[in-house]
Amino acid sequence: MTVDNEPRSSLPGESLVFARRLFTHWRRQPVVPIQAVFFPTFLLVTYYLLVGESVMTVTGADSLYGLVPTCAVAGAMFGALAASLSIRFEREGGLLSRMWTLPVHRSSALTGRLLAEAVRTLVASAVITAVGIGLGLRFEGGWFDLLLFLMVPVVVGVIFAAALIAIAVRTTNSSVLMWLAVPAITAAFASSGSPPVELLPGAVQPLVRYQPMATAIGAMRSLAQGDSALWPLVLGCAWTVALAAVILPLAVRGYRAAAESGP
């Protein structure tokens, strides 16, 4: 009787392998980096040049403190949307099933994908923030505030990516992803980062102020300005826990079913 003493890889190590696979894919087919970095950066520069002075005249505040968070959060969602389109092809081509049969932790492929989304969003948010600083943004908070500022889009991007995965593994029609993407991205721009909430009709102010994207962008604005971000961070954490409790189990079950069903 022989005993196989070969050590198994850890879940974090295997997740890194799957994440690197996605990084290689994105480098060779840079649709995701373009959607995640260049497109929101273009929106930031264009929006600031077109309406920056008008917002300063109307509100008395620099629009960059709202535009940079808005474009960082929107970039996280744009990138997640572009990345999710490949899942359908991986399922139909049998790649998900082949990865499922590998001698690795069953969750490593999914956690690796979410890890790749988190790293991509962190890098994209840092680039967008650097461009904002070049345009005149002055970060008034400390280094810890800057870290929290960059982590907010990461959390949004991971939750949004999980929601897209939950849909992508269950459909053969890519346009279905837009049913989630369009309202979510619209919510990012219809938040405190773009139109000042105080200038909106009173009936819609509570909807804009307390929707998930508004709390994320409001927290980033407060962190950049050096103000207290406790309340928007608390609201954002509440939204994160509630959405993760619903979305992550759906993504896990859907991914498992798609992998086990084969092409």
Side-chain angles (χ1 to χ4, degrees), residues 2 12 23-24 37 44 141 150 152 206:
T2 61
F23 294 147
T24 301
V37 182
L44 170 63
L150 295 177
V152 170

Side-chain angles (χ1 to χ4, degrees), residues 107-127:
S107 58
S108 57
L110 181 57
T111 55
R113 179 176 289 274
L114 295 180
L115 176 62
E117 293 283 351
V119 173
R120 173 191 56 75
T121 303
L122 180 62
V123 173
S125 299
V127 171

Side-chain angles (χ1 to χ4, degrees), residues 31-251:
V31 175
V32 174
I34 290 174
Q35 287 283 86
V37 182
F38 296 107
F39 183 58
T41 301
F42 173 77
L43 288 179
L44 170 63
V45 174
T46 302
Y47 201 105
Y48 181 70
L49 293 178
L50 290 177
V51 303
E53 292 185 2
S54 300
V55 173
M56 175 70 76
T57 301
V58 173
T59 66
D62 193 339
S63 62
L64 282 173
Y65 288 95
L67 288 176
V68 172
T70 299
C71 291
V73 170
M77 292 189 290
F78 282 132
L81 176 61
S84 67
L85 297 177
S86 65
I87 297 178
R88 180 171 64 89
F89 300 106
E90 292 179 357
R91 185 190 64 182
E92 294 176 352
L95 181 58
L96 291 186
S97 297
R98 289 196 294 272
M99 290 191 297
W100 189 257
T101 59
L102 293 175
V104 296
H105 292 79
R106 290 295 177 87
S107 58
S108 57
L110 181 57
T111 55
R113 179 176 289 274
L114 295 180
L115 176 62
E117 293 283 351
V119 173
R120 173 191 56 75
T121 303
L122 180 62
V123 173
S125 299
V127 171
I128 293 170
T129 302
V131 172
I133 292 174
L135 292 174
L137 176 70
R138 295 298 174 259
F139 201 91
E140 303 295 339
W143 287 105
F144 183 70
D145 294 329
L146 177 59
L147 178 61
L148 287 178
F149 181 91
L150 295 177
M151 289 305 298
V152 170
V154 172
V155 174
V156 173
V158 170
I159 297 297
F160 188 68
L164 292 174
I165 290 172
I167 296 175
V169 294
R170 288 178 167 86
T171 180
T172 58
N173 187 355
S174 299
S175 64
V176 176
L177 296 174
M178 298 298 177
W179 297 355
L180 174 65
V182 171
I185 295 173
T186 301
F189 286 96
S191 67
S192 59
S194 184
V197 177
E198 295 76 12
L199 299 182
L200 297 175
V204 301
Q205 285 189 20
L207 296 176
V208 174
R209 194 183 301 274
Y210 297 112
Q211 51 108 339
M213 297 300 103
T215 58
I217 293 170
M220 295 177 70
R221 179 201 288 270
S222 298
L223 290 167
Q225 292 176 331
D227 299 332
S228 175
L230 179 60
W231 178 240
L233 284 175
V234 169
L235 286 177
C237 288
W239 273 114
T240 299
V241 171
L243 292 173
V246 175
I247 292 171
L248 290 180
L250 292 175

